[in-house]
Structures are given as C-alpha cells and as structure tokens.
Amino acid sequence: MVKERDDIGLKLVEALKNPHDSSSQESFAKAMELTKAYAGSGAVTHFGAVARLFYDLFEMFETGRDPRDK
C-alpha cells in the first residue's frame, strides 16, 4: 500500500512539473475541477479538507478505485 501511495505522489508531482507531457494530466484536470467546485460551495469546514479531497480524487482517477475503500 505504501508503494502505491508513493506512485500516486510521484504521478502528481510529474503532472505539476510537466503538465503537457504527463500521462496523468487528465486525472489532474478532473480532480482540480471537482475540488474547485467543492471549495467554492461553502461546504468546506477545514482548509485541510480541500487538499485531502484533491489528493483522493486524483488517486481515484489514476487507479479507478474508490479512495474510501482504504
């Protein structure tokens, strides 16, 4: 499980550093769009929830698995 989390983290860093060459760009864009909608909804009670949501969404789009199943 730790190895997989490292892989997701590396893919996220790759998407940030090389947005046009990254194979994870679509996952990044989808996660960003949904996170922006959530942050703008007024439902956020803690700023850390926004970052965690983005990471979980990115992981979900990359792996196809529900992050709540951890």
Side-chain angles (χ1 to χ4, degrees):
M1 188 64 154
V2 172
K3 172 77 169 116
E4 185 176 314
R5 280 191 96 45
D6 289 345
D7 290 344
I8 295 298
L10 290 173
K11 288 181 179 185
L12 180 56
V13 170
E14 177 190 342
L16 288 169
K17 285 186 172 183
N18 302 311
H20 300 292
D21 299 329
S22 172
S23 62
S24 302
Q25 189 57 32
E26 186 175 346
S27 297
F28 183 85
K30 288 178 181 179
M32 182 62 76
E33 190 65 31
L34 289 171
T35 303
K36 285 184 349 185
Y38 172 66
S41 72
V44 179
T45 57
H46 190 270
F47 69 91
V50 175
R52 183 69 202 175
L53 174 69
F54 175 78
Y55 185 87
D56 285 346
L57 287 170
F58 181 79
E59 181 178 18
M60 180 182 70
F61 290 128
E62 279 296 300
T63 65
R65 289 190 309 272
D66 188 339
R68 296 174 293 183
D69 292 341
K70 293 179 188 172

